[in-house]
Amino acid sequence: MPEPLVSVVVPMYNDRRTIDLCLESILAQTYPNIEVVVVDDASTDGCAERAAAHPVRLVRAPENGGPGASRNLGVRSTSGEIVFFLDADLTMHPDAVAQAVALFGEHPSYGAVFGIPDKEPLFAETLVGQYRILQYHYWRKSAEGLVSGGFYALGAVRRSAFLDAGWFNPALRQTEEIDHAERLAARWPMLLTSRIRGRLSDESRMRPLLRKAFVRSRLRVPFYLDRGRAMQGMETGGRAVASLLAGVAVAALPLVLLTPWAALVSTAAVAGTVLADLGQYGFVRRERGVPFLVFFTVAHLLVNAAVVAGLALGLGQYAVSRRFRRMYQLRAGAV
C-alpha cells in the first residue's frame, strides 16, 4: 500500500524566535510523504518572511483570527489523509510523523494521536520557564492513554475524523482545543502517547503565565457545567482538590498578621495541595533536586490560585450572562 500523505499544519503568530527550528524539525522527518503548510495569523514580527525561506507553503490570514481559525485555514489548504498539527513554538522528534502513521495503522479506530513534549525545554529557560516545561511534561505523561482532551499543539488527526467532528470554532480564542476534542472524542477514540515527542518553548515570565491560567480557567466553566464533568486524562479529582487548597492557602496569607490561625490554615492548605498531586512533586525532586522543588511548589501554588480565581469569576459570569453560558453551544461553520 502507498504511504498516506501527511499534511503538517503550523499555525503561527509572532513566532520569529522559534519558527526556523520548528520548520527544520518538520523537514528532518524520517517519514517521506509530507506536505507542510504554515498559516501566518497576521503576524507583525517578520516570522512570515522567515517561514517563506523554507520549502513550505505559506498561507496568510487576512486578519488575526486566533489558533482555531488558523488551523481551519490550514486544513482547508491541505489534502493529506492525516493532518499533523504542530504549534510554531514546538519542534518534533525526527520520527514523530512516522510514529503517528504507525499508530493509526495499529489502531484503525483511533481518530487522533497526540504527543508529549520532553521534560527538557527547547531553549535555556528562566526558572518560570523551567517550571512550566516540567509541569507540562509531567501532567501529560501521567495522563498517557485514551483521553477526551485534545493536544493539538503536537498531534495528528485523521482527516475523516476531523471533518466528522467539525471545524474549530474560531470564536474561541483560548479553549478551541477542548471544544473540538470533545466533539471528536464523542465519535473516535483519541490517544495521548509518548511515542510522539517534541520540545516546547513556553511562558518564561510569571505574570503572563498567571494571566493565561486565569483566563483559560474562567472560559472552561460553561464547558464543564454543560457536560457535568472535567476532561478525561490530566484533570483528575486530586488536581481539582489541589487547586482549591492553593486558593485557600493564598487567600489566608493576608490574614496572617491578624490571627495565627491564618498561618496554620495556609500551611495546612499548602501541605494538602502537595499531597493531592504528590507524584508530580516527587518527579520534580528527582529531576532537579530540593532547591528547585521549593521554587516549583511556590510557582505551582500561584498558578493553582489563579485557576481558582478564574473559576470563581467564571461561575459568576455563568450565573448572570446567557451569552457566556452558551459560548460552547454556538457552532461556527468553518473559517
Side-chain angles (χ1 to χ4, degrees):
M1 289 182 62
E3 295 172 317
L5 176 64
V6 177
S7 301
V8 182
V9 173
V10 182
M12 175 181 68
Y13 177 68
N14 287 351
D15 288 298
R16 180 183 176 89
R17 184 182 184 219
T18 57
I19 188 60
D20 287 322
L21 292 174
C22 174
L23 296 181
E24 287 165 6
S25 77
I26 299 170
L27 298 172
Q29 289 298 296
T30 60
Y31 187 81
N33 198 13
I34 292 177
E35 62 174 348
V36 186
V37 171
V38 179
V39 181
D40 177 42
D41 196 18
S43 297
T44 60
D45 70 344
C47 60
E49 288 72 24
R50 283 185 174 270
H54 296 269
V56 302
R57 189 185 321 157
L58 178 64
V59 178
R60 294 178 183 264
E63 59 184 11
N64 183 262
S70 294
R71 292 188 182 113
N72 286 345
L73 185 55
V75 174
R76 284 184 172 277
S77 305
T78 61
S79 56
E81 179 183 332
I82 296 169
V83 180
F84 198 117
F85 294 104
L86 181 69
D87 279 4
D89 59 356
L90 275 140
T91 63
M92 54 181 172
H93 285 221
D95 66 343
V97 172
Q99 289 288 352
V101 173
L103 283 162
F104 283 133
E106 296 164 16
H107 304 280
S109 66
Y110 285 4
V113 289
F114 300 111
I116 299 174
D118 293 344
K119 59 189 176 184
E120 298 85 12
L122 183 56
F123 299 110
E125 288 285 0
T126 65
L127 288 175
V128 172
Q130 294 170 50
Y131 151 75
R132 179 60 174 160
I133 296 298
L134 280 175
Q135 184 262 328
Y136 194 104
H137 169 81
Y138 178 81
W139 277 34
R140 279 152 183 76
K141 180 66 177 174
S142 67
E144 194 166 1
L146 293 177
V147 293
S148 65
F151 307 98
Y152 296 87
L154 175 68
V157 184
R158 293 185 194 273
R159 181 177 292 273
S160 57
F162 181 90
L163 296 176
D164 189 28
W167 301 87
F168 287 100
N169 184 345
L172 302 174
R173 290 282 187 133
Q174 295 277 354
T175 52
E176 80 290 339
E177 289 187 330
I178 63 171
D179 173 71
H180 190 271
E182 180 77 5
R183 287 180 272 136
L184 200 158
R187 298 167 172 82
W188 300 76
M190 305 190 309
L191 181 73
L192 178 62
T193 172
S194 57
R195 284 176 59 177
I196 300 172
R197 297 166 57 205
R199 286 205 174 183
L200 170 67
S201 173
D202 209 319
E203 295 289 355
S204 59
R205 294 176 296 139
M206 183 58 74
R207 181 173 292 183
L209 181 59
L210 294 179
R211 185 186 306 117
K212 182 185 290 187
F214 175 84
V215 171
R216 290 182 175 179
S217 175
R218 178 178 66 84
L219 294 177
R220 276 171 160 79
V221 168
F223 179 85
Y224 294 150
L225 293 182
D226 283 352
R227 291 152 183 79
R229 58 176 175 80
M231 293 182 295
Q232 173 189 347
M234 295 192 307
E235 296 180 347
T236 65
R239 287 173 183 156
V241 170
S243 292
L244 291 173
L245 289 173
V248 171
V250 173
L253 283 177
L255 303 176
V256 168
L257 296 177
L258 300 178
T259 171
W261 290 105
L264 291 174
V265 169
S266 186
T267 301
V270 170
T273 196
V274 171
L275 289 172
D277 199 5
L278 190 59
Q280 172 181 244
Y281 296 94
F283 165 76
V284 173
R285 183 184 62 78
R286 291 190 299 272
E287 290 293 323
R288 297 295 305 278
V290 172
F292 184 80
L293 175 62
V294 173
F295 174 82
F296 183 99
T297 302
V298 173
H300 200 53
L301 188 73
L302 293 174
V303 169
N304 272 332
V307 167
V308 172
L311 288 174
L313 180 58
L315 288 170
Q317 283 188 270
Y318 190 89
V320 301
S321 171
R322 182 171 181 268
R323 181 179 179 82
F324 187 72
R325 289 195 296 272
R326 298 183 65 228
M327 65 183 295
Y328 294 98
Q329 300 168 18
L330 303 174
R331 295 282 181 240
V335 177

